[in-house]
Amino acid sequence: MTGASVNPAEIYSRQHTFFRTGRTWPVAFRREHLVRLGRALIAHEPELLAALHHDLGKSEIEAFASELGLVAREVSLAIKRLPAWIKPIRKPTPWLNWPAKSFQLPEPRGVVLIMGPWNYPVQLLLLPLVGALAAGCCAVVKPSEFTPAASEVLQRLIRDIYPPEYCQVVTGTGQEAAALLDLPWDHIFFTGSTRVGRLVMQAAAKHLTSITLELGGKNPCIVLADTPLEIAAERIAWGKFLNAGQTCGAPDHCYIQRQVLGPFTEALKRVLTRFYGADPRQSPDFGRIVNIAHFDRLLGYLSQGRVLAGGQVDRGSRYVAPTLMADVPENAPLMQEEIFGPILPLLPFDDLDALLGILRDRPNPLAAYVFTRDAASQIKALQHLRAGTMALNDTMSQITSSHLPLGGVGESGQGRYHGQASFACFSHYKSVLAKGYIWNNRMKYPPYTVPLKWLKKFYAWLM
């Protein structure tokens, strides 16, 4: 079913009607449909792997590790933990409300829209869907038009296991996305650029729709002189050049303490050769840029500094080599825009306090990374670097955990998901006070006869 052949308003209306029947609320229903998704991932695995290679040049190992495997793990966790997640959360009850009990009841938000990006077209569409289905919602999912092969497989996968009134994929371009955003969803989950995130927020504001925005930013990586350089180089290169650098949480640029800038640069060069060989174009483990527009954008960055390693490109195959750059001016577009590609500027710094002061004045990134053995420096960075997530002495690993909620802050997004946080994202925690009839406190009803000074003393005693 193509984007042109569907009517978003009809889809929304059909799902809204189905949700109001209450069929999605029972735990058994939710678990059954999560099991279906897990089985479908296995059944469609060859097609999904082939689609990811077609769209992004991903190897089977990278595609499974960074996409299918993460979704399968999330499905398994939700099936296992759902009975605990759905339980009411007991809360204290003030004495003034006795006899009563207080709790929060997680209930599904309703009919939700999930809009996925192109860089991880399977993982970043299905991970939030797992949370939506676990929470008891109905969902419409909109994959990116920039990864058509993955979108086509995902559409067939969802169509094979779910009725459209429960869950449906809508494909198409910006026109279809705009039509979807014009509807009064109960929640919108968007993963993508900050620019488009602002448009999503504006559309949601018309209906006062709650939103989750998973955006990006210029994620800094700081390497202090006491760091084991070879290990740091491996961990930074892996996080940066995974998926050809097209990862929202990847290190965007790297600050290296000046006295180790040379040795660290050489360590990075050795690691790149070890990872991808002398000619990364021939490596089965290095991906491709998603389309020509992004290729041309990255090509423009290569003239904004001195290339230390890499720099080779091939327009026909959308190949940009893993590239290290130096002498990049702070006002260059390469240092002002999210790179989202396999180009890593290396920048020297002298004083950590001064660097943290500079970074505090910039927009908040999705991730920040600090490499040092010094506990005091780690604490200082944790206190002064404002970012959605952080990792010490590693990159990207905090994003792959189902037990660490992922989300941005400020311009890098709002809201959290992964694991139980995904369930919470698509749930409304209704506050409930249930009162008994053992005693009826008539002192709270008019006419009021208790002197104010005694009432104040009573409240002071309660506190």
Side-chain angles (χ1 to χ4, degrees):
M1 182 180 294
T2 64
S5 65
V6 299
N7 185 322
E10 290 180 5
I11 295 171
Y12 171 83
S13 177
R14 188 163 58 240
Q15 290 204 352
H16 184 70
T17 299
F18 180 73
F19 176 75
R20 293 188 67 176
T21 66
R23 287 181 57 190
T24 68
W25 286 56
V27 174
F29 180 94
R30 306 184 197 190
R31 294 180 77 178
E32 175 195 344
H33 288 81
L34 288 170
V35 168
R36 289 187 189 181
L37 180 57
R39 290 172 177 166
L41 281 172
I42 297 172
H44 290 267
E45 180 180 307
E47 299 166 79
L48 289 168
L49 294 176
L52 290 168
H53 185 267
H54 175 276
D55 289 334
L56 290 157
K58 293 190 182 187
S59 68
E60 289 188 348
I61 294 294
E62 181 178 305
F64 184 86
S66 67
E67 301 232 35
L68 276 65
L70 294 180
V71 179
R73 186 184 65 186
E74 196 88 350
V75 170
S76 177
L77 180 69
I79 292 170
K80 180 179 179 181
R81 300 287 178 84
L82 184 57
W85 293 348
I86 204 171
K87 287 181 179 178
I89 303 170
R90 293 294 298 269
K91 297 292 181 180
T93 300
W95 288 10
L96 288 173
N97 291 327
W98 188 87
K101 61 181 179 179
S102 303
F103 56 93
Q104 285 185 294
L105 183 67
E107 62 181 19
R109 287 188 180 272
V111 181
V112 303
L113 172 65
I114 299 170
M115 305 181 76
W118 52 262
N119 57 326
Y120 290 88
V122 176
Q123 179 217 142
L124 295 181
L125 195 77
L126 295 187
L127 281 187
L129 179 62
V130 171
L133 301 185
C137 296
C138 294
V140 170
V141 291
K142 167 66 174 67
S144 170
E145 67 271 25
F146 294 155
T147 47
S151 297
E152 192 272 332
V153 178
L154 286 169
Q155 188 173 51
R156 283 192 287 107
L157 184 154
I158 296 298
R159 188 174 59 216
D160 288 348
I161 60 174
Y162 298 140
E165 64 269 20
Y166 174 54
C167 182
Q168 182 166 348
V169 173
V170 175
T171 60
T173 61
Q175 181 178 352
E176 284 74 25
L180 288 167
L181 287 171
D182 201 39
L183 297 169
W185 304 96
D186 295 306
H187 191 75
I188 297 173
F189 190 108
F190 170 80
T191 305
S193 69
T194 300
R195 179 187 65 82
V196 180
R198 288 191 174 95
L199 300 177
V200 173
M201 198 169 190
Q202 290 173 6
K206 291 188 297 184
H207 302 290
L208 295 179
T209 296
S210 60
I211 56 174
T212 300
L213 299 177
E214 295 296 333
L215 309 177
K218 291 192 70 65
N219 307 320
C221 181
I222 302 172
V223 179
L224 274 70
D226 68 330
T227 301
L229 298 182
E230 200 77 20
I231 296 175
E234 288 182 333
R235 295 176 182 179
I236 292 169
W238 173 78
K240 174 63 180 181
F241 298 108
L242 179 74
N243 198 30
Q246 300 167 112
T247 305
C248 55
D252 181 271
H253 51 289
C254 196
Y255 294 98
I256 303 100
Q257 208 152 24
R258 194 177 301 273
Q259 58 264 46
V260 295
L261 176 60
F264 179 73
T265 301
E266 293 306 311
L268 270 177
K269 292 178 180 179
R270 289 193 298 273
V271 166
L272 289 179
T273 301
R274 203 154 62 237
F275 280 8
Y276 305 115
D279 182 7
R281 188 179 339 204
Q282 307 302 322
S283 170
D285 299 316
F286 187 74
R288 296 298 185 263
I289 306 306
V290 67
N291 57 33
I292 290 298
H294 282 281
F295 173 90
D296 289 339
R297 177 182 61 82
L298 293 170
L299 187 61
Y301 290 151
L302 295 177
S303 62
Q304 296 171 16
R306 180 165 55 94
V307 174
L308 300 173
Q312 300 84 8
V313 299
D314 178 55
R315 185 179 178 85
S317 62
R318 308 188 311 277
Y319 167 77
V320 176
T323 301
L324 307 178
M325 294 188 67
D327 303 330
V328 181
E330 284 287 349
N331 61 354
L334 181 58
M335 285 303 299
Q336 299 297 315
E337 302 165 359
E338 185 178 7
I339 297 171
F340 224 68
I343 302 172
L344 181 62
L346 303 179
L347 310 161
F349 79 97
D350 296 298
D351 180 68
L352 179 60
D353 290 321
L355 176 60
L356 293 176
I358 292 171
L359 295 177
R360 275 199 303 270
D361 293 333
R362 295 178 179 174
N364 303 321
L366 178 63
Y369 303 106
V370 178
F371 285 77
T372 178
R373 281 177 160 149
D374 180 54
S377 297
Q378 292 178 0
I379 292 171
K380 187 180 295 184
L382 288 171
Q383 291 175 339
H384 295 286
L385 271 180
R386 187 166 167 82
T389 68
M390 277 190 69
L392 300 174
N393 301 323
D394 202 1
T395 64
M396 294 287 291
S397 293
Q398 83 283 11
I399 291 176
T400 65
S401 172
S402 292
H403 306 289
L404 283 175
L406 171 64
V409 58
E411 290 199 15
S412 56
Q414 56 183 265
R416 297 285 184 271
Y417 79 121
H418 283 191
Q420 187 172 3
S422 293
F423 172 83
C425 172
F426 291 99
S427 298
H428 166 61
Y429 283 79
K430 181 190 293 181
S431 295
V432 179
L433 186 140
K435 203 171 183 72
Y437 291 101
I438 297 174
W439 181 58
N440 190 22
N441 180 13
R442 298 193 177 280
M443 294 177 64
K444 69 180 183 181
Y445 305 132
Y448 302 116
T449 58
V450 177
L452 180 59
K453 65 177 182 179
W454 290 109
L455 184 62
K456 289 181 176 180
K457 289 182 179 180
F458 178 62
Y459 268 78
W461 176 76
L462 286 176
M463 291 185 287

